[in-house]
Amino acid sequence: MKLKIKVILLIVLIISLFRVSFILLNDKNIYHETKKDVKGVITYIKKDNDKIVFDIKSDNKYRITTYNKFNYNLGDKLLVSGVFINPSDNTVFNLFNYRKYLLSKNIKEISNNPKIELISKNKNILYLLKNKMIKHIEKYKTRKYLKAFVMGDTSDFEEDIKESYRSVGISHLLAISGMHVGVFLLILNFLLKKVKYKYIIVFMFLLLFLFITNFSESLMRCTLFMFLNHLNKKFKLKIDNIYVIILTGSILLLINPYLIYSVGFLFSVIITFFIILSRKLLENKSYFRKTLIISVICFLASIPILTYYFFSINLLTPIFNLLFVPIVSFIIFPLGLITFIFPFFDNLYFFILNIFEYLVLVMSKIKILSFVIAKPSIYIFILYYLFLYLSIKVNEKYILFFVVVLIFNINAKFFILDPEIIFLDVGQGDSTVIILPQGKTILVDTGGIFMSNSSVVKNKTIPYLNSRGINNIDLLILTHGDYDHMGEAKTLLDNIKVGKVLINKGDINKLEEDILNYNNAKIVDNNYVIDNHELLFLNDKIYDNENSNSIVTYLNIKNNNILLMGDADKIVENNIINEYNLPKMDILKVGHHGSNTSSDINFIKNTDPVYSVISVGKNNRYGHPNKTVLDTLKYSNILRTDKNGSIRFIFKQNMVNKIDCKPYIIVER
């Protein structure tokens, strides 16, 4: 390769890395709120139960959510009037960050339920085509697969189906990728084999496909890579494909450095890089052996991304890919294209897809080699790829180091040395995680959002524990039978291993009755010791209401006094200070979300907390926390999940060494 070309490649790479580094080091969520009118064209629409989410593009791109009647189509020009803000970061450590996801789509501001007016209907031929395709697909029973394969839209898939694909490790088969493009190009090359400048038609098709799929990250990578490869051959530059894929990723990051936050972009570029790097391993191999090697390489290359974003892997994934990749490549995807053109195949396609989904669901139940893996630090992330690169390029023995790093991450919970207490942001509810050395885990309450399809346990609690490498709970304490404290206890017990469950004394309601049907559940009767830490349950009286019967838990971690009040009221508080000689509290979990039924002034004077933690939902309808309560607590450091997000205390030696909050935003005045 010529020196000049090498220098150009190096400069592009350095500039893109500099831009990405600058973004990563300076990216802060500084809150902006602006009331304005935005005129723009609709580029994306998603129907989600009772709401419509759509994007409009003017000078910038905006995401809009509306709960009103919506009769607009792609390409229509709208006037949107309302308050525009920047989206929130994740409020639970390690989990999905909506703001960064939108940044990867070039969206920096959102608006909820603004006023919407039509300026003009769409006349753009490309949007007319796309609208016709959407309308055409909506008639099919198999529309969710046709949308995925033709439009690059997987939003219609049920969550359990998506989860089964993720569990088996084949969710990439639903995303538009090189495999799908390869089938399209095979068809095009066959149809255009006698056309002189067919490559122009091919690239025009790819550009149209990019538009149809809303500029899917993996398709952008694929299209740009093919275009650069074509130039490479056309001008006989003799640039190795490994440099072409590096240049491809660098150019895309120069265009949008926020693509570094896109899982699809990372998967596409990194996996392609390692497949190209492994090409010598594929020489003179049979189809089966070549497919197996590619499957293994893809799996190894995906492990760092899977552990960083999803906290689990299934070691059977390469075997599953051997089965499912040919099925999708030669049956499911091609038949989808045929069905899109010839609707009378819809019933047959529906039948085949049902068999396919059933097979995926069956395979997803095979958990024998499925592991929860802690989210790696960026340094561990880099180590993974360094050892994988060396094992392919230098000596296969380096794979041992890759495996060592993997084993370390699988067993990360055993390397937890300092106890922690985490007050999870679960909205208007309570859920507290206590992590002791070597990953021994106590969960106090599960939270629960009444009349909601969203599961706090599945979306927050279990993923957070998994992100720490924790796949079981040693003790679950359910302070009382209100839905916002134990509404998801059954879901938790059905989805993660729990050692022992304790519920409060008093009358048993339906929620508590369901939990007592589990063999490991019982009514609290005495104190509990776990990992040399004694939990004292202070509320031993029985009252005539559920809140008063809350389990009140005291524990001491490295000479730090912690008191968790549940929804206990002022009567309980006074009984506790009369019965026990309580020490001053380092951390008080404030009773009943800061309601005026709790936090009596005498109780607060007696406990004199250094930190007062209030678990409360943002803009909740109860007006929690009460202003009087906040005044009572004013001499302590008040931390609130509605303001601070999840709150974590890490205990080192004889003090709270670190307090970590996951804020919604940094407010810029």
Side-chain angles (χ1 to χ4, degrees), residues 539-652:
N539 189 12
D540 55 0
K541 292 181 171 60
I542 296 178
Y543 302 87
D544 60 359
N545 72 82
E546 196 64 47
N547 285 345
S548 298
N549 286 322
S550 290
I551 294 175
V552 175
T553 307
Y554 166 80
L555 70 156
N556 182 286
I557 300 179
K558 291 196 173 180
N559 292 329
N560 289 275
N561 298 308
I562 302 162
L563 190 61
L564 311 175
M565 295 301 298
D567 275 358
D569 56 21
K570 293 178 180 179
I571 294 172
V572 175
E573 292 173 348
N574 286 321
N575 285 339
I576 287 173
I577 60 176
N578 289 333
E579 188 170 342
Y580 299 96
N581 183 23
L582 289 179
K584 304 300 182 184
M585 292 298 156
D586 294 283
I587 301 170
L588 171 68
K589 166 58 187 54
V590 175
H592 203 184
H593 321 288
S595 161
N596 62 1
T597 62
S598 304
S599 303
D600 181 80
I601 192 165
N602 289 327
F603 178 73
I604 299 304
K605 282 181 178 178
N606 270 270
T607 54
D608 190 21
V610 178
Y611 295 99
S612 300
V613 178
I614 304 174
S615 184
V616 62
K618 193 176 183 183
N619 300 322
N620 66 87
R621 63 191 177 98
Y622 305 102
H624 296 161
N626 183 270
K627 186 181 183 302
T628 304
V629 171
L630 294 175
D631 288 340
T632 303
L633 297 168
K634 66 183 177 182
Y635 295 109
S636 68
N637 298 287
I638 300 172
L639 296 169
R640 299 164 45 172
T641 56
D642 64 330
K643 299 287 187 183
N644 302 105
S646 298
I647 300 152
R648 177 171 61 168
F649 294 87
I650 303 174
F651 303 93
K652 293 177 180 285

Side-chain angles (χ1 to χ4, degrees), residues 419-582:
E420 302 175 20
I421 183 166
I422 305 99
F423 300 92
L424 292 177
D425 172 28
V426 292
Q428 184 63 18
D430 263 29
S431 190
T432 303
V433 178
I434 302 166
I435 302 176
L436 300 174
Q438 297 188 336
K440 294 287 179 65
T441 302
I442 303 163
L443 180 66
V444 182
D445 289 331
T446 65
I449 303 171
F450 193 65
M451 298 292 289
S452 171
N453 294 322
S454 178
S455 169
V456 168
V457 155
K458 287 184 176 181
N459 296 330
K460 292 186 176 183
T461 315
I462 293 177
Y464 172 70
L465 292 175
N466 289 169
S467 78
R468 303 297 304 279
I470 295 168
N471 59 356
N472 68 286
I473 294 168
D474 297 278
L475 175 65
L476 171 62
I477 299 172
L478 300 170
T479 60
H480 63 294
D482 283 356
Y483 197 90
D484 62 330
H485 285 254
M486 67 168 292
E488 295 212 27
K490 193 173 184 298
T491 304
L492 182 86
L493 290 163
D494 290 341
N495 285 277
I496 191 170
K497 184 180 177 183
V498 178
K500 187 178 286 292
V501 184
L502 300 178
I503 71 168
N504 64 315
K505 298 175 183 177
D507 293 338
I508 303 298
N509 65 19
K510 182 65 171 64
L511 284 173
E512 293 165 319
E513 186 181 322
D514 287 344
I515 299 307
L516 285 172
N517 287 329
Y518 288 83
N519 293 329
N520 57 345
K522 70 170 189 174
I523 295 172
V524 63
D525 54 1
N526 50 32
N527 300 328
Y528 191 89
V529 178
I530 177 171
D531 194 39
N532 296 320
H533 290 81
E534 185 175 16
L535 281 68
L536 304 179
F537 303 122
L538 307 185
N539 189 12
D540 55 0
K541 292 181 171 60
I542 296 178
Y543 302 87
D544 60 359
N545 72 82
E546 196 64 47
N547 285 345
S548 298
N549 286 322
S550 290
I551 294 175
V552 175
T553 307
Y554 166 80
L555 70 156
N556 182 286
I557 300 179
K558 291 196 173 180
N559 292 329
N560 289 275
N561 298 308
I562 302 162
L563 190 61
L564 311 175
M565 295 301 298
D567 275 358
D569 56 21
K570 293 178 180 179
I571 294 172
V572 175
E573 292 173 348
N574 286 321
N575 285 339
I576 287 173
I577 60 176
N578 289 333
E579 188 170 342
Y580 299 96
N581 183 23
L582 289 179

Side-chain angles (χ1 to χ4, degrees), residues 16 52 182 201 225 269 278 330 351 362 399 445 474 633:
S16 66
I52 303 290
I201 299 172
F225 179 73
V269 172
S278 310
F330 300 119
F351 174 73
V362 169
I399 199 69
D445 289 331
D474 297 278
L633 297 168

Side-chain angles (χ1 to χ4, degrees), residues 181-288:
V181 173
V183 174
F184 276 124
L185 295 184
L186 196 67
I187 296 169
L188 279 176
N189 283 323
F190 175 76
L191 295 174
L192 303 172
K193 58 184 176 182
K194 293 184 179 179
V195 177
K196 187 176 182 181
Y197 296 106
K198 65 179 180 182
Y199 65 88
I200 297 175
I201 299 172
V202 167
F203 282 120
M204 286 177 65
F205 167 79
L206 286 175
L207 290 174
L208 175 62
F209 197 28
L210 269 172
F211 176 80
I212 295 297
T213 59
N214 217 28
F215 296 91
S216 151
E217 292 91 341
S218 55
L219 189 55
M220 283 195 296
R221 189 279 307 162
C222 187
T223 302
L224 182 57
F225 179 73
M226 291 180 66
F227 178 72
L228 293 175
N229 244 336
H230 175 74
L231 294 180
N232 188 21
K233 292 175 182 176
K234 178 83 173 172
F235 296 103
K236 299 178 181 178
L237 299 175
K238 297 181 181 179
I239 302 173
D240 193 286
N241 275 353
I242 204 73
Y243 296 105
V244 176
I245 188 61
I246 292 172
L247 181 61
T248 300
S250 299
I251 291 172
L252 291 173
L253 287 173
L254 280 174
I255 296 168
N256 178 14
Y258 291 106
L259 277 174
I260 198 67
Y261 294 140
S262 167
V263 180
F265 171 79
L266 293 175
F267 269 127
S268 185
V269 172
I270 291 173
I271 289 175
T272 304
F273 173 87
F274 280 103
I275 289 174
I276 294 170
L277 194 69
S278 310
R279 61 198 155 187
K280 285 188 178 179
L281 299 174
L282 304 174
E283 290 175 355
N284 303 316
K285 298 292 192 300
S286 66
Y287 171 80
F288 178 81

Side-chain angles (χ1 to χ4, degrees), residues 38-273:
V38 173
K39 295 178 182 179
V41 172
I42 302 174
T43 60
Y44 167 82
I45 301 172
K46 177 188 175 185
K47 295 179 181 178
D48 188 6
N49 296 324
D50 60 337
K51 66 182 179 182
I52 303 290
V53 177
F54 65 97
D55 296 344
I56 60 167
K57 191 173 188 322
S58 55
D59 293 337
N60 297 306
K61 203 171 175 184
Y62 303 89
R63 176 147 294 187
I64 315 297
T65 301
T66 182
Y67 296 87
N68 299 318
K69 192 174 180 182
F70 191 86
N71 293 318
Y72 309 111
N73 296 307
L74 295 173
D76 290 350
K77 190 171 185 180
L78 302 180
L79 171 64
V80 179
S81 307
V83 175
F84 287 79
I85 61 173
N86 53 316
S88 298
D89 277 314
N90 51 309
T91 62
V92 176
F93 304 99
N94 300 334
L95 302 192
F96 174 72
N97 189 313
Y98 184 57
R99 181 181 68 87
K100 290 180 178 179
Y101 166 77
L102 288 182
L103 282 174
S104 73
K105 307 284 184 188
N106 261 323
I107 299 170
K108 294 183 180 180
E109 291 185 272
I110 62 173
S111 184
N112 292 312
N113 224 28
K115 182 182 176 184
I116 300 170
E117 295 178 35
L118 177 68
I119 295 175
S120 61
K121 296 294 288 181
N122 169 58
K123 294 178 182 177
N124 184 303
I125 190 168
L126 293 177
Y127 280 118
L128 286 171
L129 172 64
K130 195 168 178 178
N131 285 326
K132 277 190 171 294
M133 290 174 69
I134 293 169
K135 195 172 180 180
H136 176 69
I137 288 173
E138 285 295 337
K139 299 174 184 176
Y140 288 86
K141 289 182 184 178
T142 55
R143 57 184 168 272
K144 65 183 181 185
Y145 280 90
L146 294 182
K147 276 187 179 181
F149 293 145
V150 178
M151 313 292 295
D153 181 2
T154 59
S155 60
D156 282 1
F157 278 85
E158 301 85 352
E159 195 53 44
D160 61 331
I161 296 296
K162 282 185 178 179
E163 181 54 41
S164 65
Y165 275 94
R166 279 194 292 265
S167 177
V168 173
I170 59 167
S171 53
H172 62 94
L173 296 178
L174 296 179
I176 296 292
S177 64
M179 179 198 77
H180 304 85
V181 173
V183 174
F184 276 124
L185 295 184
L186 196 67
I187 296 169
L188 279 176
N189 283 323
F190 175 76
L191 295 174
L192 303 172
K193 58 184 176 182
K194 293 184 179 179
V195 177
K196 187 176 182 181
Y197 296 106
K198 65 179 180 182
Y199 65 88
I200 297 175
I201 299 172
V202 167
F203 282 120
M204 286 177 65
F205 167 79
L206 286 175
L207 290 174
L208 175 62
F209 197 28
L210 269 172
F211 176 80
I212 295 297
T213 59
N214 217 28
F215 296 91
S216 151
E217 292 91 341
S218 55
L219 189 55
M220 283 195 296
R221 189 279 307 162
C222 187
T223 302
L224 182 57
F225 179 73
M226 291 180 66
F227 178 72
L228 293 175
N229 244 336
H230 175 74
L231 294 180
N232 188 21
K233 292 175 182 176
K234 178 83 173 172
F235 296 103
K236 299 178 181 178
L237 299 175
K238 297 181 181 179
I239 302 173
D240 193 286
N241 275 353
I242 204 73
Y243 296 105
V244 176
I245 188 61
I246 292 172
L247 181 61
T248 300
S250 299
I251 291 172
L252 291 173
L253 287 173
L254 280 174
I255 296 168
N256 178 14
Y258 291 106
L259 277 174
I260 198 67
Y261 294 140
S262 167
V263 180
F265 171 79
L266 293 175
F267 269 127
S268 185
V269 172
I270 291 173
I271 289 175
T272 304
F273 173 87

Side-chain angles (χ1 to χ4, degrees), residues 366-429:
I366 303 173
K367 302 286 189 180
I368 188 169
L369 290 177
S370 185
F371 297 98
V372 164
I373 304 185
K375 181 173 185 171
S377 70
I378 192 65
Y379 305 108
I380 298 293
F381 189 89
I382 293 168
L383 271 181
Y384 269 122
Y385 284 121
L386 175 63
F387 291 135
L388 183 58
Y389 175 85
L390 291 173
S391 64
I392 295 171
K393 194 69 176 175
V394 180
N395 191 313
E396 64 271 12
K397 290 180 181 178
Y398 279 101
I399 199 69
L400 293 174
F401 294 99
F402 183 94
V403 173
V404 167
V405 176
L406 180 60
I407 292 171
F408 171 83
N409 251 30
I410 290 174
N411 295 283
K413 71 176 183 179
F414 297 111
F415 296 92
I416 295 174
L417 302 177
D418 299 311
E420 302 175 20
I421 183 166
I422 305 99
F423 300 92
L424 292 177
D425 172 28
V426 292
Q428 184 63 18

